[in-house]
């Protein structure tokens, strides 16, 4: 009780002293000018501050979104990995089989101008798992057949394989939520023409893929010689690096 009554009295005293000191020296000037400034400019100043803060925050958000997107988009082309699925129908060779699905991993290296494709073991057989490199700088394609542990080199066919930038643009759109449109399959036949002894001339990426593996050169086979297939052993690899699927059949002498 005693403490409560004493505190207001002691608190009021210095306030009164301060008021008296201020009033005595400037007197009329302070009484006229202070109320005008404190009542009107104070709320507008607060509005300005709040408005400025809102503008600043919006600017910060817009700037950070822009910087993030710019950074994200410009970083992606350096080294892009995609996991892709495509549904296709083989209306010529397997019309009754209906829809089939193919899955693969695609690595696109824009700076080095090559594509690397990994085809896993397919769910329903008929095709070998493989690692494929399309080297646009050298104009070469290498198929590493994982089941056979053999490498096959051929000329890059640019009508079948999309260049890295175009393939990247195609797959970026797929990654953003749309599937590759349902497509068809093309069959090509390759025949082994001979052994490759030196991998050095094939560039660093194919060299790395085929290093210490039996490596053969391939030639595209014209359809006139199809009858001879019985005396040869053929394996096929299904892959896609375009809007359609390609089955590359590789035949070797038994
Ligand atoms: C590339 O593939 C297409 C379609 O299969 C074929 O018509 C063309 O002859 C091939 N080009 C070369 C150089 O092998």
């Amino acid at each position: 009780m005693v403490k409560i009554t004493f505190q207001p009295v002691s608190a009021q005293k210095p306030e009164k002293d301060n008021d008296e000191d201020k009033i005595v020296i400037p007197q009329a000037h302070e009484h006229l000018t202070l109320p005008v400034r404190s009542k009107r400019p104070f709320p507008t100043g607060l509005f300005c501050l709040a408005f400025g803060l809102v503008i600043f925050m919006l600017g910060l958000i817009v700037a950070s979104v822009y910087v993030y997107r710019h950074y994200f988009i410009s970083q992606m082309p350096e080294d892009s990995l995609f996991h892709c699925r495509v549904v296709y129908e083989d209306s010529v060779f397997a019309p009754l089989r209906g829809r089939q699905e193919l899955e693969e991993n695609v690595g696109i290296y824009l700076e080095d101008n090559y594509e690397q494709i990994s085809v896993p073991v397919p769910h329903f057989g008929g095709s070998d798992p493989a690692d494929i490199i399309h080297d646009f700088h050298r104009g070469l394609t290498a198929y590493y057949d994982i089941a056979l542990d053999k490498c096959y080199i051929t000329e890059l066919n640019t009508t079948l394989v999309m260049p890295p930038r175009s393939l990247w643009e195609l797959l970026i759109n797929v990654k953003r939520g749309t599937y590759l449109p349902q497509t068809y399959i093309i069959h090509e036949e390759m025949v082994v023409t001979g052994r490759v002894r030196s991998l050095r001339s094939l560039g660093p990426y194919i060299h790395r893929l085929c290093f210490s593996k039996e490596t053969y050169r391939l030639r595209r086979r014209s359809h006139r010689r199809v009858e001879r297939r019985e005396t040869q052993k053929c394996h096929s690899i299904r892959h896609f690096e375009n809007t359609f699927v390609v089955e590359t059949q590789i035949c070797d002498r038994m």
Side-chain angles (χ1 to χ4, degrees):
M1 290 293 281
V2 179
K3 279 178 187 173
I4 293 163
T5 50
F6 270 106
Q7 276 175 337
V9 174
S10 61
Q12 278 175 347
K13 274 181 182 176
E15 278 183 333
K16 278 181 181 175
D17 290 339
N18 287 336
D19 287 344
E20 279 172 21
D21 287 336
K22 279 181 181 175
I23 292 160
V24 170
I25 302 156
Q27 262 194 333
H29 287 288
E30 271 213 354
H31 279 288
L32 283 169
T33 54
L34 271 174
V36 175
R37 275 182 187 174
S38 64
K39 275 179 186 173
R40 283 182 191 174
F42 185 66
T44 57
L46 197 71
F47 272 125
C48 281
L49 196 73
F51 188 68
L53 209 68
V54 166
I55 293 293
F56 177 74
M57 292 294 276
L58 281 175
L60 208 68
I61 289 165
V62 168
S64 55
V65 165
Y66 176 79
V67 166
Y68 174 76
R69 290 181 79 182
H70 184 75
Y71 180 79
F72 184 73
I73 298 289
S74 64
Q75 280 293 303
M76 284 299 283
E78 304 294 318
D79 172 11
S80 314
L81 298 171
F82 300 89
H83 181 79
C84 309
R85 276 200 178 95
V86 68
V87 172
Y88 64 96
E89 269 181 69
D90 191 351
S91 54
V92 176
F93 285 81
L96 299 176
R97 212 169 156 190
R99 291 162 131 224
Q100 300 181 60
E101 200 179 292
L102 183 64
E103 196 181 333
E104 67 180 29
N105 291 308
V106 181
I108 299 174
Y109 305 89
L110 292 176
E111 291 228 322
D112 300 317
N113 209 18
Y114 79 98
E115 298 162 7
Q116 180 151 14
I117 288 140
S118 297
V119 187
V121 180
H123 296 300
F124 298 104
S127 158
D128 284 351
D131 285 330
I132 304 164
I133 283 183
H134 300 291
D135 188 336
F136 278 73
H137 180 62
R138 300 269 172 170
L140 291 172
T141 289
Y143 301 96
Y144 169 54
D145 188 313
I146 295 168
L148 300 174
D149 191 30
K150 284 178 183 170
C151 235
Y152 299 95
I153 313 293
T154 185
E155 265 178 46
L156 174 66
N157 189 335
T158 49
T159 62
L160 295 181
V161 183
M162 261 193 193
R165 172 65 66 173
S166 311
L167 186 62
W168 183 81
E169 277 165 10
L170 175 77
L171 296 182
I172 273 286
N173 290 324
V174 174
K175 217 179 191 182
R176 282 178 185 154
T178 54
Y179 278 89
L180 275 168
Q182 188 175 328
T183 188
Y184 54 94
I185 184 165
I186 274 183
H187 298 265
E188 64 171 1
E189 286 182 34
M190 299 290 194
V191 63
V192 171
T193 58
R195 186 92 187 254
V196 177
R197 299 286 168 193
S198 172
L199 292 171
R200 288 213 190 99
S201 60
L202 306 176
Y205 316 114
I206 292 177
H207 183 276
R208 193 168 57 207
L209 179 74
C210 297
F211 184 71
S212 79
K213 285 142 197 160
E214 279 180 45
T215 304
Y216 298 91
R217 212 167 266 285
L218 294 178
R219 177 174 51 78
R220 199 183 170 78
R221 184 155 64 177
S222 61
H223 283 280
R224 277 172 282 139
R225 296 180 196 171
V226 171
E227 320 92 57
R228 276 204 213 163
R229 207 196 292 174
E230 285 142 31
T231 61
Q232 295 189 322
K233 194 168 173 62
C234 300
H235 286 261
S236 54
I237 297 165
R238 288 186 181 192
H239 53 100
F240 61 96
E241 43 284 286
N242 209 321
T243 54
F244 49 84
V245 176
V246 176
E247 182 180 70
T248 303
Q249 193 169 57
I250 299 169
C251 298
D252 200 352
R253 291 179 202 91
M254 298 253 267

